[in-house]
Amino acid sequence: MGPLVTDPDAFQRLFEDFQHASFKLEVRRSYGLASEDEPFQKFLAGEDPGIEWLRSWLDLMEAETSKGKRVERVRVVDEPPSEYLRFEMAVTPHNLAAGEDIRYLERERAAELALPEYDYWLFDSRLVAFLHFTDDDRFVGFSVTEDPAEVLKHCQWRDRAWTRATRFSHLPATVTVAS
């Protein structure tokens, strides 16, 4: 694994530079991103957080997927989902409209499949980007590897998760609406 990279532009370049397919396994119950703090608090208060806070990501996804690139994610969720995961689910239709394909997998099933308990992005089945967080869920950066054994292991986890995950449109309404 390479050194910790904290430059947001370097993270964005991962998405601009991949050629064909990217995949993310999301296993955390919450994510501490400064850009999401206020929208998340609005969501918790029952207000519409809008999507302006997500606009740069949505624009990036639209730009890259319009080139024919695939951006896929599997989100591991609890039943019932955490408040943060409910927040993510509320904006998922915007991610889908931007070209992402996001699916869901119950945490119990993820454990049965022996998936890792950390988040990663896999780019073109050749580069793994590990996401790093503080103990209080704040995102601090990423590190990468192109080690063939590591890449193969993450490709196998991707395939295991992707083939068993449920499309957002097929989730029960009780999972995707506020509790």
Side-chain angles (χ1 to χ4, degrees), residues 115-143:
L115 297 178
E117 295 182 11
Y118 57 85
D119 285 24
Y120 70 88
W121 278 99
L122 177 64
F123 295 95
D124 292 330
S125 298
R126 65 165 192 78
L127 182 137
V128 180
F130 302 94
L131 305 182
H132 299 277
F133 297 84
T134 62
D135 290 340
D136 64 347
D137 297 325
R138 302 307 281 186
F139 178 68
V140 293
F142 68 97
S143 58

PDB file of all heavy atoms in Angstrom, residues 115-143:
ATOM      1  N   LEU A 115     -16.605 -10.471   3.048  1.00  0.00           N
ATOM      2  CA  LEU A 115     -16.139  -9.229   2.439  1.00  0.00           C
ATOM      3  C   LEU A 115     -15.315  -8.456   3.466  1.00  0.00           C
ATOM      4  O   LEU A 115     -15.512  -8.614   4.670  1.00  0.00           O
ATOM      5  CB  LEU A 115     -17.332  -8.392   1.967  1.00  0.00           C
ATOM      6  CG  LEU A 115     -18.184  -9.026   0.874  1.00  0.00           C
ATOM      7  CD1 LEU A 115     -19.362  -8.124   0.526  1.00  0.00           C
ATOM      8  CD2 LEU A 115     -17.364  -9.329  -0.369  1.00  0.00           C
ATOM      9  N   PRO A 116     -14.427  -7.590   3.007  1.00  0.00           N
ATOM     10  CA  PRO A 116     -13.620  -6.828   3.955  1.00  0.00           C
ATOM     11  C   PRO A 116     -14.479  -5.831   4.734  1.00  0.00           C
ATOM     12  O   PRO A 116     -15.573  -5.471   4.284  1.00  0.00           O
ATOM     13  CB  PRO A 116     -12.608  -6.114   3.060  1.00  0.00           C
ATOM     14  CG  PRO A 116     -13.275  -6.005   1.740  1.00  0.00           C
ATOM     15  CD  PRO A 116     -14.132  -7.244   1.619  1.00  0.00           C
ATOM     16  N   GLU A 117     -13.953  -5.391   5.842  1.00  0.00           N
ATOM     17  CA  GLU A 117     -14.678  -4.433   6.678  1.00  0.00           C
ATOM     18  C   GLU A 117     -14.107  -3.032   6.507  1.00  0.00           C
ATOM     19  O   GLU A 117     -14.031  -2.264   7.469  1.00  0.00           O
ATOM     20  CB  GLU A 117     -14.646  -4.890   8.134  1.00  0.00           C
ATOM     21  CG  GLU A 117     -15.399  -6.195   8.328  1.00  0.00           C
ATOM     22  CD  GLU A 117     -15.432  -6.658   9.767  1.00  0.00           C
ATOM     23  OE1 GLU A 117     -15.049  -5.879  10.664  1.00  0.00           O
ATOM     24  OE2 GLU A 117     -15.849  -7.808   9.988  1.00  0.00           O
ATOM     25  N   TYR A 118     -13.687  -2.720   5.293  1.00  0.00           N
ATOM     26  CA  TYR A 118     -13.181  -1.383   4.978  1.00  0.00           C
ATOM     27  C   TYR A 118     -13.643  -1.013   3.575  1.00  0.00           C
ATOM     28  O   TYR A 118     -13.975  -1.866   2.760  1.00  0.00           O
ATOM     29  CB  TYR A 118     -11.653  -1.317   5.094  1.00  0.00           C
ATOM     30  CG  TYR A 118     -10.912  -2.307   4.225  1.00  0.00           C
ATOM     31  CD1 TYR A 118     -10.613  -2.022   2.892  1.00  0.00           C
ATOM     32  CD2 TYR A 118     -10.509  -3.535   4.736  1.00  0.00           C
ATOM     33  CE1 TYR A 118      -9.934  -2.934   2.097  1.00  0.00           C
ATOM     34  CE2 TYR A 118      -9.825  -4.453   3.954  1.00  0.00           C
ATOM     35  CZ  TYR A 118      -9.539  -4.145   2.635  1.00  0.00           C
ATOM     36  OH  TYR A 118      -8.871  -5.054   1.851  1.00  0.00           O
ATOM     37  N   ASP A 119     -13.652   0.285   3.313  1.00  0.00           N
ATOM     38  CA  ASP A 119     -14.058   0.807   2.011  1.00  0.00           C
ATOM     39  C   ASP A 119     -12.876   0.833   1.055  1.00  0.00           C
ATOM     40  O   ASP A 119     -11.750   1.138   1.455  1.00  0.00           O
ATOM     41  CB  ASP A 119     -14.556   2.243   2.144  1.00  0.00           C
ATOM     42  CG  ASP A 119     -15.934   2.350   2.768  1.00  0.00           C
ATOM     43  OD1 ASP A 119     -16.321   1.435   3.501  1.00  0.00           O
ATOM     44  OD2 ASP A 119     -16.597   3.366   2.526  1.00  0.00           O
ATOM     45  N   TYR A 120     -13.166   0.552  -0.201  1.00  0.00           N
ATOM     46  CA  TYR A 120     -12.143   0.699  -1.237  1.00  0.00           C
ATOM     47  C   TYR A 120     -12.798   0.989  -2.576  1.00  0.00           C
ATOM     48  O   TYR A 120     -13.952   0.671  -2.807  1.00  0.00           O
ATOM     49  CB  TYR A 120     -11.268  -0.559  -1.337  1.00  0.00           C
ATOM     50  CG  TYR A 120     -11.957  -1.781  -1.915  1.00  0.00           C
ATOM     51  CD1 TYR A 120     -11.977  -2.023  -3.294  1.00  0.00           C
ATOM     52  CD2 TYR A 120     -12.569  -2.713  -1.096  1.00  0.00           C
ATOM     53  CE1 TYR A 120     -12.600  -3.147  -3.822  1.00  0.00           C
ATOM     54  CE2 TYR A 120     -13.196  -3.843  -1.615  1.00  0.00           C
ATOM     55  CZ  TYR A 120     -13.201  -4.050  -2.984  1.00  0.00           C
ATOM     56  OH  TYR A 120     -13.823  -5.161  -3.503  1.00  0.00           O
ATOM     57  N   TRP A 121     -12.038   1.630  -3.438  1.00  0.00           N
ATOM     58  CA  TRP A 121     -12.379   1.802  -4.848  1.00  0.00           C
ATOM     59  C   TRP A 121     -11.447   0.914  -5.646  1.00  0.00           C
ATOM     60  O   TRP A 121     -10.250   0.818  -5.329  1.00  0.00           O
ATOM     61  CB  TRP A 121     -12.183   3.251  -5.307  1.00  0.00           C
ATOM     62  CG  TRP A 121     -13.303   4.183  -4.991  1.00  0.00           C
ATOM     63  CD1 TRP A 121     -13.374   5.066  -3.944  1.00  0.00           C
ATOM     64  CD2 TRP A 121     -14.515   4.360  -5.736  1.00  0.00           C
ATOM     65  NE1 TRP A 121     -14.547   5.768  -4.001  1.00  0.00           N
ATOM     66  CE2 TRP A 121     -15.266   5.359  -5.088  1.00  0.00           C
ATOM     67  CE3 TRP A 121     -15.031   3.764  -6.898  1.00  0.00           C
ATOM     68  CZ2 TRP A 121     -16.497   5.776  -5.559  1.00  0.00           C
ATOM     69  CZ3 TRP A 121     -16.261   4.182  -7.361  1.00  0.00           C
ATOM     70  CH2 TRP A 121     -16.987   5.180  -6.699  1.00  0.00           C
ATOM     71  N   LEU A 122     -11.971   0.293  -6.681  1.00  0.00           N
ATOM     72  CA  LEU A 122     -11.188  -0.528  -7.602  1.00  0.00           C
ATOM     73  C   LEU A 122     -11.335   0.097  -8.983  1.00  0.00           C
ATOM     74  O   LEU A 122     -12.454   0.301  -9.458  1.00  0.00           O
ATOM     75  CB  LEU A 122     -11.726  -1.959  -7.591  1.00  0.00           C
ATOM     76  CG  LEU A 122     -11.098  -2.964  -8.532  1.00  0.00           C
ATOM     77  CD1 LEU A 122      -9.629  -3.210  -8.186  1.00  0.00           C
ATOM     78  CD2 LEU A 122     -11.876  -4.278  -8.477  1.00  0.00           C
ATOM     79  N   PHE A 123     -10.214   0.414  -9.619  1.00  0.00           N
ATOM     80  CA  PHE A 123     -10.235   1.070 -10.922  1.00  0.00           C
ATOM     81  C   PHE A 123      -9.652   0.143 -11.992  1.00  0.00           C
ATOM     82  O   PHE A 123      -8.505  -0.295 -11.876  1.00  0.00           O
ATOM     83  CB  PHE A 123      -9.436   2.377 -10.881  1.00  0.00           C
ATOM     84  CG  PHE A 123     -10.042   3.405  -9.963  1.00  0.00           C
ATOM     85  CD1 PHE A 123      -9.606   3.528  -8.652  1.00  0.00           C
ATOM     86  CD2 PHE A 123     -11.065   4.224 -10.402  1.00  0.00           C
ATOM     87  CE1 PHE A 123     -10.168   4.463  -7.796  1.00  0.00           C
ATOM     88  CE2 PHE A 123     -11.645   5.161  -9.552  1.00  0.00           C
ATOM     89  CZ  PHE A 123     -11.188   5.284  -8.246  1.00  0.00           C
ATOM     90  N   ASP A 124     -10.459  -0.138 -13.011  1.00  0.00           N
ATOM     91  CA  ASP A 124     -10.045  -0.936 -14.169  1.00  0.00           C
ATOM     92  C   ASP A 124      -9.423  -2.278 -13.777  1.00  0.00           C
ATOM     93  O   ASP A 124      -8.566  -2.805 -14.498  1.00  0.00           O
ATOM     94  CB  ASP A 124      -9.062  -0.150 -15.047  1.00  0.00           C
ATOM     95  CG  ASP A 124      -9.724   1.029 -15.739  1.00  0.00           C
ATOM     96  OD1 ASP A 124     -10.935   0.947 -16.038  1.00  0.00           O
ATOM     97  OD2 ASP A 124      -9.032   2.042 -15.981  1.00  0.00           O
ATOM     98  N   SER A 125      -9.839  -2.827 -12.662  1.00  0.00           N
ATOM     99  CA  SER A 125      -9.319  -4.113 -12.179  1.00  0.00           C
ATOM    100  C   SER A 125      -7.788  -4.135 -12.159  1.00  0.00           C
ATOM    101  O   SER A 125      -7.160  -5.157 -12.394  1.00  0.00           O
ATOM    102  CB  SER A 125      -9.845  -5.272 -13.043  1.00  0.00           C
ATOM    103  OG  SER A 125     -11.250  -5.348 -12.952  1.00  0.00           O
ATOM    104  N   ARG A 126      -7.193  -2.970 -11.860  1.00  0.00           N
ATOM    105  CA  ARG A 126      -5.734  -2.893 -11.818  1.00  0.00           C
ATOM    106  C   ARG A 126      -5.187  -2.038 -10.685  1.00  0.00           C
ATOM    107  O   ARG A 126      -4.028  -2.127 -10.340  1.00  0.00           O
ATOM    108  CB  ARG A 126      -5.148  -2.405 -13.146  1.00  0.00           C
ATOM    109  CG  ARG A 126      -5.521  -0.995 -13.482  1.00  0.00           C
ATOM    110  CD  ARG A 126      -4.656  -0.384 -14.589  1.00  0.00           C
ATOM    111  NE  ARG A 126      -4.879   1.046 -14.665  1.00  0.00           N
ATOM    112  CZ  ARG A 126      -4.367   1.932 -13.842  1.00  0.00           C
ATOM    113  NH1 ARG A 126      -3.575   1.592 -12.879  1.00  0.00           N
ATOM    114  NH2 ARG A 126      -4.652   3.219 -13.992  1.00  0.00           N
ATOM    115  N   LEU A 127      -6.036  -1.187 -10.097  1.00  0.00           N
ATOM    116  CA  LEU A 127      -5.586  -0.293  -9.032  1.00  0.00           C
ATOM    117  C   LEU A 127      -6.632  -0.279  -7.931  1.00  0.00           C
ATOM    118  O   LEU A 127      -7.826  -0.108  -8.212  1.00  0.00           O
ATOM    119  CB  LEU A 127      -5.380   1.124  -9.576  1.00  0.00           C
ATOM    120  CG  LEU A 127      -4.860   2.135  -8.574  1.00  0.00           C
ATOM    121  CD1 LEU A 127      -3.774   2.994  -9.203  1.00  0.00           C
ATOM    122  CD2 LEU A 127      -5.979   3.016  -8.059  1.00  0.00           C
ATOM    123  N   VAL A 128      -6.199  -0.464  -6.687  1.00  0.00           N
ATOM    124  CA  VAL A 128      -7.085  -0.393  -5.530  1.00  0.00           C
ATOM    125  C   VAL A 128      -6.749   0.874  -4.753  1.00  0.00           C
ATOM    126  O   VAL A 128      -5.575   1.136  -4.463  1.00  0.00           O
ATOM    127  CB  VAL A 128      -6.921  -1.612  -4.601  1.00  0.00           C
ATOM    128  CG1 VAL A 128      -7.867  -1.512  -3.406  1.00  0.00           C
ATOM    129  CG2 VAL A 128      -7.146  -2.909  -5.353  1.00  0.00           C
ATOM    130  N   ALA A 129      -7.770   1.655  -4.443  1.00  0.00           N
ATOM    131  CA  ALA A 129      -7.618   2.840  -3.596  1.00  0.00           C
ATOM    132  C   ALA A 129      -8.321   2.553  -2.275  1.00  0.00           C
ATOM    133  O   ALA A 129      -9.538   2.338  -2.246  1.00  0.00           O
ATOM    134  CB  ALA A 129      -8.214   4.069  -4.274  1.00  0.00           C
ATOM    135  N   PHE A 130      -7.556   2.532  -1.204  1.00  0.00           N
ATOM    136  CA  PHE A 130      -8.089   2.301   0.140  1.00  0.00           C
ATOM    137  C   PHE A 130      -8.455   3.647   0.745  1.00  0.00           C
ATOM    138  O   PHE A 130      -7.649   4.581   0.720  1.00  0.00           O
ATOM    139  CB  PHE A 130      -7.029   1.632   1.027  1.00  0.00           C
ATOM    140  CG  PHE A 130      -6.525   0.333   0.490  1.00  0.00           C
ATOM    141  CD1 PHE A 130      -5.378   0.287  -0.291  1.00  0.00           C
ATOM    142  CD2 PHE A 130      -7.194  -0.849   0.762  1.00  0.00           C
ATOM    143  CE1 PHE A 130      -4.903  -0.916  -0.793  1.00  0.00           C
ATOM    144  CE2 PHE A 130      -6.729  -2.061   0.264  1.00  0.00           C
ATOM    145  CZ  PHE A 130      -5.583  -2.096  -0.521  1.00  0.00           C
ATOM    146  N   LEU A 131      -9.646   3.761   1.304  1.00  0.00           N
ATOM    147  CA  LEU A 131     -10.094   5.014   1.909  1.00  0.00           C
ATOM    148  C   LEU A 131      -9.790   4.972   3.408  1.00  0.00           C
ATOM    149  O   LEU A 131     -10.067   3.984   4.077  1.00  0.00           O
ATOM    150  CB  LEU A 131     -11.580   5.213   1.652  1.00  0.00           C
ATOM    151  CG  LEU A 131     -11.976   5.156   0.168  1.00  0.00           C
ATOM    152  CD1 LEU A 131     -13.461   5.410   0.006  1.00  0.00           C
ATOM    153  CD2 LEU A 131     -11.156   6.126  -0.667  1.00  0.00           C
ATOM    154  N   HIS A 132      -9.256   6.071   3.924  1.00  0.00           N
ATOM    155  CA  HIS A 132      -8.843   6.137   5.323  1.00  0.00           C
ATOM    156  C   HIS A 132      -9.693   7.148   6.087  1.00  0.00           C
ATOM    157  O   HIS A 132      -9.966   8.241   5.587  1.00  0.00           O
ATOM    158  CB  HIS A 132      -7.364   6.522   5.423  1.00  0.00           C
ATOM    159  CG  HIS A 132      -6.460   5.536   4.757  1.00  0.00           C
ATOM    160  ND1 HIS A 132      -6.040   4.391   5.378  1.00  0.00           N
ATOM    161  CD2 HIS A 132      -5.927   5.520   3.509  1.00  0.00           C
ATOM    162  CE1 HIS A 132      -5.259   3.712   4.548  1.00  0.00           C
ATOM    163  NE2 HIS A 132      -5.190   4.369   3.400  1.00  0.00           N
ATOM    164  N   PHE A 133     -10.067   6.768   7.312  1.00  0.00           N
ATOM    165  CA  PHE A 133     -10.919   7.576   8.168  1.00  0.00           C
ATOM    166  C   PHE A 133     -10.345   7.627   9.572  1.00  0.00           C
ATOM    167  O   PHE A 133      -9.669   6.702  10.002  1.00  0.00           O
ATOM    168  CB  PHE A 133     -12.335   6.972   8.230  1.00  0.00           C
ATOM    169  CG  PHE A 133     -13.035   6.942   6.909  1.00  0.00           C
ATOM    170  CD1 PHE A 133     -12.824   5.898   6.013  1.00  0.00           C
ATOM    171  CD2 PHE A 133     -13.888   7.960   6.546  1.00  0.00           C
ATOM    172  CE1 PHE A 133     -13.454   5.872   4.784  1.00  0.00           C
ATOM    173  CE2 PHE A 133     -14.524   7.951   5.313  1.00  0.00           C
ATOM    174  CZ  PHE A 133     -14.310   6.901   4.437  1.00  0.00           C
ATOM    175  N   THR A 134     -10.677   8.689  10.298  1.00  0.00           N
ATOM    176  CA  THR A 134     -10.311   8.783  11.707  1.00  0.00           C
ATOM    177  C   THR A 134     -11.288   7.941  12.519  1.00  0.00           C
ATOM    178  O   THR A 134     -12.306   7.460  11.986  1.00  0.00           O
ATOM    179  CB  THR A 134     -10.372  10.230  12.206  1.00  0.00           C
ATOM    180  OG1 THR A 134     -11.725  10.701  12.075  1.00  0.00           O
ATOM    181  CG2 THR A 134      -9.423  11.141  11.421  1.00  0.00           C
ATOM    182  N   ASP A 135     -11.016   7.794  13.792  1.00  0.00           N
ATOM    183  CA  ASP A 135     -11.906   7.022  14.664  1.00  0.00           C
ATOM    184  C   ASP A 135     -13.304   7.630  14.755  1.00  0.00           C
ATOM    185  O   ASP A 135     -14.266   6.926  15.058  1.00  0.00           O
ATOM    186  CB  ASP A 135     -11.310   6.888  16.068  1.00  0.00           C
ATOM    187  CG  ASP A 135     -10.097   5.972  16.083  1.00  0.00           C
ATOM    188  OD1 ASP A 135      -9.950   5.161  15.144  1.00  0.00           O
ATOM    189  OD2 ASP A 135      -9.297   6.076  17.031  1.00  0.00           O
ATOM    190  N   ASP A 136     -13.424   8.942  14.494  1.00  0.00           N
ATOM    191  CA  ASP A 136     -14.749   9.573  14.529  1.00  0.00           C
ATOM    192  C   ASP A 136     -15.331   9.756  13.122  1.00  0.00           C
ATOM    193  O   ASP A 136     -16.135  10.655  12.880  1.00  0.00           O
ATOM    194  CB  ASP A 136     -14.715  10.886  15.318  1.00  0.00           C
ATOM    195  CG  ASP A 136     -13.823  11.942  14.676  1.00  0.00           C
ATOM    196  OD1 ASP A 136     -13.035  11.604  13.766  1.00  0.00           O
ATOM    197  OD2 ASP A 136     -13.920  13.112  15.090  1.00  0.00           O
ATOM    198  N   ASP A 137     -14.919   8.878  12.186  1.00  0.00           N
ATOM    199  CA  ASP A 137     -15.506   8.775  10.848  1.00  0.00           C
ATOM    200  C   ASP A 137     -15.174   9.914   9.882  1.00  0.00           C
ATOM    201  O   ASP A 137     -15.832  10.058   8.859  1.00  0.00           O
ATOM    202  CB  ASP A 137     -17.038   8.624  10.928  1.00  0.00           C
ATOM    203  CG  ASP A 137     -17.466   7.356  11.626  1.00  0.00           C
ATOM    204  OD1 ASP A 137     -16.776   6.333  11.470  1.00  0.00           O
ATOM    205  OD2 ASP A 137     -18.487   7.384  12.337  1.00  0.00           O
ATOM    206  N   ARG A 138     -14.168  10.716  10.164  1.00  0.00           N
ATOM    207  CA  ARG A 138     -13.784  11.786   9.247  1.00  0.00           C
ATOM    208  C   ARG A 138     -12.844  11.225   8.176  1.00  0.00           C
ATOM    209  O   ARG A 138     -11.850  10.568   8.496  1.00  0.00           O
ATOM    210  CB  ARG A 138     -13.102  12.946   9.975  1.00  0.00           C
ATOM    211  CG  ARG A 138     -13.931  13.598  11.083  1.00  0.00           C
ATOM    212  CD  ARG A 138     -15.291  14.041  10.670  1.00  0.00           C
ATOM    213  NE  ARG A 138     -15.290  15.299   9.938  1.00  0.00           N
ATOM    214  CZ  ARG A 138     -16.388  15.930   9.583  1.00  0.00           C
ATOM    215  NH1 ARG A 138     -17.573  15.457   9.888  1.00  0.00           N
ATOM    216  NH2 ARG A 138     -16.305  17.034   8.903  1.00  0.00           N
ATOM    217  N   PHE A 139     -13.147  11.491   6.918  1.00  0.00           N
ATOM    218  CA  PHE A 139     -12.310  11.049   5.807  1.00  0.00           C
ATOM    219  C   PHE A 139     -11.009  11.854   5.829  1.00  0.00           C
ATOM    220  O   PHE A 139     -11.027  13.081   5.904  1.00  0.00           O
ATOM    221  CB  PHE A 139     -13.046  11.266   4.480  1.00  0.00           C
ATOM    222  CG  PHE A 139     -12.241  10.884   3.273  1.00  0.00           C
ATOM    223  CD1 PHE A 139     -11.919   9.561   3.021  1.00  0.00           C
ATOM    224  CD2 PHE A 139     -11.813  11.850   2.379  1.00  0.00           C
ATOM    225  CE1 PHE A 139     -11.181   9.199   1.897  1.00  0.00           C
ATOM    226  CE2 PHE A 139     -11.075  11.506   1.251  1.00  0.00           C
ATOM    227  CZ  PHE A 139     -10.758  10.174   1.018  1.00  0.00           C
ATOM    228  N   VAL A 140      -9.859  11.141   5.750  1.00  0.00           N
ATOM    229  CA  VAL A 140      -8.567  11.832   5.795  1.00  0.00           C
ATOM    230  C   VAL A 140      -7.752  11.655   4.520  1.00  0.00           C
ATOM    231  O   VAL A 140      -6.779  12.364   4.309  1.00  0.00           O
ATOM    232  CB  VAL A 140      -7.724  11.413   7.021  1.00  0.00           C
ATOM    233  CG1 VAL A 140      -8.391  11.885   8.311  1.00  0.00           C
ATOM    234  CG2 VAL A 140      -7.479   9.926   7.060  1.00  0.00           C
ATOM    235  N   GLY A 141      -8.116  10.701   3.683  1.00  0.00           N
ATOM    236  CA  GLY A 141      -7.368  10.518   2.454  1.00  0.00           C
ATOM    237  C   GLY A 141      -7.427   9.078   1.966  1.00  0.00           C
ATOM    238  O   GLY A 141      -8.250   8.290   2.418  1.00  0.00           O
ATOM    239  N   PHE A 142      -6.525   8.765   1.053  1.00  0.00           N
ATOM    240  CA  PHE A 142      -6.519   7.430   0.460  1.00  0.00           C
ATOM    241  C   PHE A 142      -5.079   6.996   0.186  1.00  0.00           C
ATOM    242  O   PHE A 142      -4.155   7.818   0.167  1.00  0.00           O
ATOM    243  CB  PHE A 142      -7.341   7.412  -0.834  1.00  0.00           C
ATOM    244  CG  PHE A 142      -6.738   8.211  -1.958  1.00  0.00           C
ATOM    245  CD1 PHE A 142      -5.979   7.582  -2.941  1.00  0.00           C
ATOM    246  CD2 PHE A 142      -6.922   9.582  -2.046  1.00  0.00           C
ATOM    247  CE1 PHE A 142      -5.412   8.309  -3.978  1.00  0.00           C
ATOM    248  CE2 PHE A 142      -6.357  10.324  -3.083  1.00  0.00           C
ATOM    249  CZ  PHE A 142      -5.605   9.685  -4.049  1.00  0.00           C
ATOM    250  N   SER A 143      -4.925   5.714  -0.008  1.00  0.00           N
ATOM    251  CA  SER A 143      -3.647   5.150  -0.450  1.00  0.00           C
ATOM    252  C   SER A 143      -3.970   4.143  -1.539  1.00  0.00           C
ATOM    253  O   SER A 143      -5.109   3.671  -1.640  1.00  0.00           O
ATOM    254  CB  SER A 143      -2.903   4.490   0.717  1.00  0.00           C
ATOM    255  OG  SER A 143      -3.697   3.477   1.304  1.00  0.00           O
TER     256      SER A 143
END
